[in-house]
Amino acid sequence: MGSSAQTLEFQAETRQLLQLVIHSIYSNKDIFLRELISNASDALDKLRLESLVDSALEADASDLHIDLEIDRDARTLTVRDNGIGMSRQEVVELIGTIAKSGTASLLEKIKAAKDAEAAQSLIGQFGVGFYSAFMVSDKVTLRTRRAGTSEGTLWESDGQGTYDISAVEDLPVGTTVTLHLKDADSEDGLADYLAEWKIRSIVKQYSDFIRWPIRMAVERAESEGVSVSETQTLNSMKALWSKARSEVTEAEYHEFYQQISHDWADPAEIIHMRSEGTFAYDALLFIPSQAPFDLFSHQTKRGVQLYVKRVFIMDDCEALMPNYLRFVKGVVDAHDLSLNISREILQHDRHIRGVRRRLVKKVLGTIKDMQAANAEGYAKLWDQFGRVLKEGLIEDTDNTEVLLELISAESTHDPQATTTLREYVARMKDGQDAVYYLTGATRAAVENSPHMEAFAAKGYEVLILTDPVDEVWVDQVTEFDGHRFQSIAKGQVDLDTDEEGTEERTKREADFATLLPWLAQTLAEHVKAARLSSRLTTSAACVVGDANDITPMLEKMYRAMNQQIPPVKRILEINPDHPLITGLREAHTANPDDPALPDLAEIVLGTALLAEGGDLPDPARFARQIADRLARSL
């Protein structure tokens, strides 16, 4: 050991903290290399900056890089940089001890942390990622010399209780960290970190976009069995998000998109943005042109990756993108986060929440611009992702108005083309104050529904909503541009605007004053009321809900998710002009106690349910009733 050698002990709290780092905090031991490469990259950044500020600094910044070196015989892995380096004092402050103010209280917080991620975030805040090297090493040796100084420093420890520090001569500027590796142990999560493929894979996953080249000498076999050593750069260094958009070609964008998404089709839109200020970040996002096969799977992950200063932190960063935009792919590189920040901390970080708001606004704004400028492209995008975007009407109340503007729905206005809500409102009849819609399984089922008859006859446009999510959002979003949403299968519908129609309805209610209560009583097990309908023109009857009732389809969806809800009784509406209804009224007036009348009432209800695509309460009983009626007519 060189001059000024010292063997120093860690403080008691520091030893405990170090043991936690080594044995408890990190579930994935591969990240030790991420930490060391990140430290090396920071050192290179500092040297480059200081060499620009201080022209007298004796340092070569012409070829800044990081070297990785594997020595199988010695079982060592070395990470070397030619960055700024450290003085002895800096080694003592930054590496030699973790004993800073508040160590004891930090230790208590780590012990109280509920999970490994929360503990990792505390470790990251404390800045001791270097000590993750002891997870995979029996001993760590560090050699360093600061730019502008002549004396180097040697630091060495086995991570148990002491460390040795001494001055050494003839060291190059920079820092060299040598890990004396433990044996591979799959049960303990220790991989073979002497394997070239393993080092390559770790660099590719975590450090591929570090701005400085990460080099490693590798053996390559040539002809006649001769092996030669060549130096290869392991990382791509192509952090496109850190460049200005004008510096990146479309081909580079598409290549990067394919790399992160594994989608070989070109993206529909590219979003490249940068934010500077109190919380700086770069973002490169892609809106795909086609939906992935698992878009609606419970295991689907969101496609935004989080980086910190080009170092990969996590896939599927839920804190950055809401679930309804889970199809968006890309990268967000935050400049001021800890490398070890956890998902839990991210969810509550006010800066991250601000980034999320801006990203969502930008994505939705881009889709809105596409809607205005590229109708064909937008139609394809909506076909792929419209169902998912409508989930935002349930999840994201802050952006309800923007999402409503994006909706593209089928309607009775055109059998082929879809319509926006803005276009629908522009076509509304004079005096119409509601946006009419009907939900159903298919367009054909909706168009043939009895509820549609009067609206079609009077020329009112009705939105046709056939996605399962439509059943939910229409109950949560009350209006668009001052016009309320109105289901034509719920509540009272009165399309008669003239006084004559009102008088006629009053007369008919008097004619059916006896039949309606009888129907309600006879069918009380299935309906809560019976009334005359103003929505029917050709069908005998239909079944409607009250304004605040859930639809039968939504009821089925809840039950499919094992959510038990009480059965919802609906209202039977009858067409006073239909021969079946007028005949039933006459028969009931002539003989209210006729035993055949209840069966006829059930047939009226059953046909109404079948006409809207609903389920019969007792299909076998209904079939017998129909067969008996047919037999009597022969």
Side-chain angles (χ1 to χ4, degrees):
M1 194 173 295
S3 62
S4 305
Q6 290 179 289
T7 298
L8 305 176
E9 283 193 4
F10 293 120
Q11 292 182 353
E13 293 92 344
T14 306
R15 284 199 299 271
Q16 294 178 50
L17 182 57
L18 186 54
Q19 291 305 307
L20 281 170
V21 173
I22 296 171
H23 300 295
S24 304
I25 301 304
Y26 296 100
S27 57
N28 178 13
K29 291 180 169 56
D30 289 355
I31 59 100
F32 81 92
L33 189 54
R34 178 193 77 179
E35 300 286 336
L36 296 180
I37 290 176
S38 178
N39 289 346
S41 177
D42 287 345
L44 296 172
D45 289 337
K46 290 176 181 176
L47 178 65
R48 179 175 177 274
L49 179 61
E50 288 202 22
S51 65
L52 294 174
V53 174
D54 184 2
S55 58
L57 186 68
E58 296 181 4
D60 181 9
S62 62
D63 182 28
L64 300 178
H65 62 279
I66 301 167
D67 283 322
L68 304 181
E69 182 181 311
I70 294 173
D71 187 333
R72 288 189 168 276
D73 294 332
R75 288 198 57 78
T76 60
L77 172 65
T78 298
V79 180
R80 181 183 299 108
D81 68 74
N82 58 345
I84 193 66
M86 290 178 283
S87 65
R88 181 187 179 108
Q89 184 62 31
E90 288 172 326
V91 170
V92 171
E93 291 178 354
L94 301 176
I95 302 296
T97 176
I98 323 175
K100 298 180 182 179
S101 175
T103 301
S105 62
L106 174 75
L107 191 60
E108 291 302 316
K109 290 180 181 179
I110 291 176
K111 290 179 178 178
K114 294 181 179 179
D115 55 36
E117 282 196 348
Q120 277 192 41
S121 70
L122 291 166
I123 289 292
Q125 292 166 22
F126 201 68
V128 292
F130 168 82
Y131 281 88
S132 62
F134 285 104
M135 295 188 300
V136 299
S137 310
D138 291 319
K139 183 173 69 174
V140 176
T141 303
L142 179 143
R143 294 177 177 85
T144 185
R145 178 164 75 88
R146 199 185 199 288
T149 66
S150 59
E151 184 179 76
T153 301
L154 170 67
W155 181 97
E156 193 169 66
S157 175
D158 60 5
Q160 297 303 312
T162 63
Y163 61 89
D164 298 324
I165 187 168
S166 61
V168 292
E169 303 296 332
D170 300 326
L171 285 183
V173 170
T175 300
T176 300
V177 180
T178 301
L179 312 184
H180 303 263
L181 296 172
K182 299 177 182 177
D183 292 331
D185 185 346
S186 58
E187 292 185 2
D188 194 32
L190 279 170
D192 180 6
Y193 296 113
L194 295 173
E196 178 191 322
W197 70 268
K198 183 61 178 177
I199 299 302
R200 284 182 180 275
S201 68
I202 296 174
V203 171
K204 187 70 176 176
Q205 179 176 2
Y206 293 107
S207 307
D208 192 47
F209 302 114
I210 291 289
R211 75 171 67 212
W212 308 111
I214 303 171
R215 300 169 181 168
M216 184 169 69
V218 296
E219 295 291 326
R220 286 291 172 263
E222 291 195 344
S223 59
E224 301 179 0
V226 177
S227 294
V228 296
S229 177
E230 65 180 34
T231 299
Q232 295 184 357
T233 299
L234 305 185
N235 59 324
S236 70
M237 298 178 284
K238 292 183 178 180
L240 299 186
W241 60 83
S242 66
K243 300 180 179 181
R245 181 153 192 165
S246 59
E247 299 174 1
V248 185
T249 66
E250 288 296 305
E252 287 177 317
Y253 277 131
H254 292 173
E255 180 184 2
F256 181 72
Y257 169 70
Q258 291 171 0
Q259 178 184 343
I260 64 172
S261 69
H262 307 294
D263 177 8
W264 302 110
D266 291 339
E269 290 289 339
I270 300 169
I271 301 171
H272 195 159
M273 57 189 294
R274 172 171 295 175
S275 176
E276 298 177 347
T278 56
F279 189 83
Y281 66 90
D282 298 306
L284 179 55
L285 305 177
F286 300 90
I287 299 176
S289 56
Q290 59 187 24
F293 71 92
D294 60 348
L295 183 62
F296 294 98
S297 167
H298 291 298
Q299 283 75 41
T300 298
K301 294 183 177 181
R302 291 167 227 189
V304 176
Q305 301 173 349
L306 175 64
Y307 282 71
V308 172
K309 290 182 287 189
R310 299 192 180 200
V311 178
F312 174 76
I313 302 301
M314 67 179 72
D315 260 324
D316 180 31
C317 188
E318 298 176 1
L320 289 172
M321 199 63 64
N323 189 52
Y324 74 92
L325 294 179
R326 58 187 176 273
F327 58 88
V328 175
K329 307 296 182 183
V331 167
V332 173
D333 189 349
H335 300 180
D336 304 305
L337 286 177
S338 159
L339 287 183
N340 298 304
I341 192 165
S342 71
R343 293 181 186 272
E344 180 183 2
I345 297 298
L346 280 173
Q347 295 289 349
H348 302 289
D349 186 280
R350 64 183 181 89
H351 295 300
I352 291 297
R353 289 200 300 270
V355 172
R356 175 183 171 125
R357 285 194 298 270
R358 288 187 284 273
L359 293 179
V360 171
K361 183 178 179 180
K362 187 65 175 179
V363 170
L364 296 181
T366 300
I367 297 175
K368 187 74 174 77
D369 292 342
M370 186 180 185
Q371 182 187 43
N374 182 4
E376 182 180 353
Y378 178 75
K380 293 178 180 178
L381 182 75
W382 184 263
D383 181 62
Q384 295 293 313
F385 302 110
R387 288 173 59 190
V388 187
L389 284 167
K390 285 188 283 190
E391 293 175 13
L393 293 168
I394 305 166
E395 302 172 8
D396 187 1
T397 56
D398 291 338
N399 289 293
T400 297
E401 292 183 7
V402 178
L403 288 165
L404 286 174
E405 292 281 2
L406 295 178
I407 284 180
S408 181
E410 294 182 289
S411 86
T412 55
H413 175 71
D414 191 304
Q416 301 295 331
T418 58
T419 182
T420 66
L421 294 178
R422 183 67 58 192
E423 292 167 340
Y424 177 100
V425 169
R427 293 191 296 266
M428 285 172 57
K429 285 179 170 289
D430 292 340
Q432 180 182 344
D433 64 350
V435 175
Y436 294 123
Y437 71 88
L438 183 59
T439 60
T442 64
R443 180 182 182 113
V446 171
E447 286 182 321
N448 295 319
S449 170
H451 305 99
M452 191 74 78
E453 293 174 358
F455 290 86
K458 294 181 181 292
Y460 283 91
E461 182 178 356
V462 178
L463 297 178
I464 299 172
L465 305 179
T466 56
D467 290 332
V469 69
D470 293 329
E471 299 283 351
V472 184
W473 76 259
V474 291
D475 278 343
Q476 292 194 208
V477 181
T478 57
E479 64 175 41
F480 170 74
D481 195 27
H483 301 280
R484 62 187 173 85
F485 287 105
Q486 171 67 55
S487 169
I488 66 171
K490 286 185 180 182
Q492 292 275 15
V493 171
D494 186 4
L495 301 180
D496 290 326
T497 57
D498 59 325
E499 186 176 336
E500 183 179 342
T502 304
E503 292 177 356
E504 177 68 18
R505 185 168 63 250
T506 302
K507 180 179 180 300
R508 285 178 172 176
E509 287 176 351
D511 292 340
F512 284 84
T514 304
L515 180 65
L516 292 174
W518 175 82
L519 280 172
Q521 181 179 2
T522 303
L523 302 172
E525 184 179 351
H526 307 296
V527 302
K528 58 184 173 184
R531 67 189 182 206
L532 297 183
S533 179
S534 60
R535 34 185 135 218
L536 298 174
T537 59
T538 58
S539 297
C542 67
V543 185
V544 302
D546 271 336
N548 296 318
D549 285 349
I550 66 171
T551 64
M553 184 176 289
L554 186 56
E555 191 176 350
K556 288 181 186 177
M557 290 168 56
Y558 280 129
R559 293 210 168 96
M561 295 184 290
N562 293 321
Q563 295 188 31
Q564 298 303 317
I565 59 174
V568 179
K569 289 185 179 182
R570 298 162 74 203
I571 300 166
L572 177 67
E573 286 192 353
I574 57 175
N575 180 359
D577 294 324
H578 195 279
L580 176 59
I581 300 302
T582 56
L584 177 60
R585 178 176 66 85
E586 292 167 359
H588 180 266
T589 301
N591 183 8
D593 297 323
D594 185 345
L597 292 180
D599 277 352
L600 188 55
E602 290 186 36
I603 290 174
V604 170
L605 174 62
T607 56
L609 291 170
L610 289 176
E612 69 171 13
D615 296 328
L616 295 170
D618 189 341
R621 176 179 173 83
F622 181 78
R624 288 194 300 271
Q625 290 168 333
I626 291 293
D628 289 346
R629 280 284 163 181
L630 290 174
R632 292 177 192 174
S633 65
L634 295 176

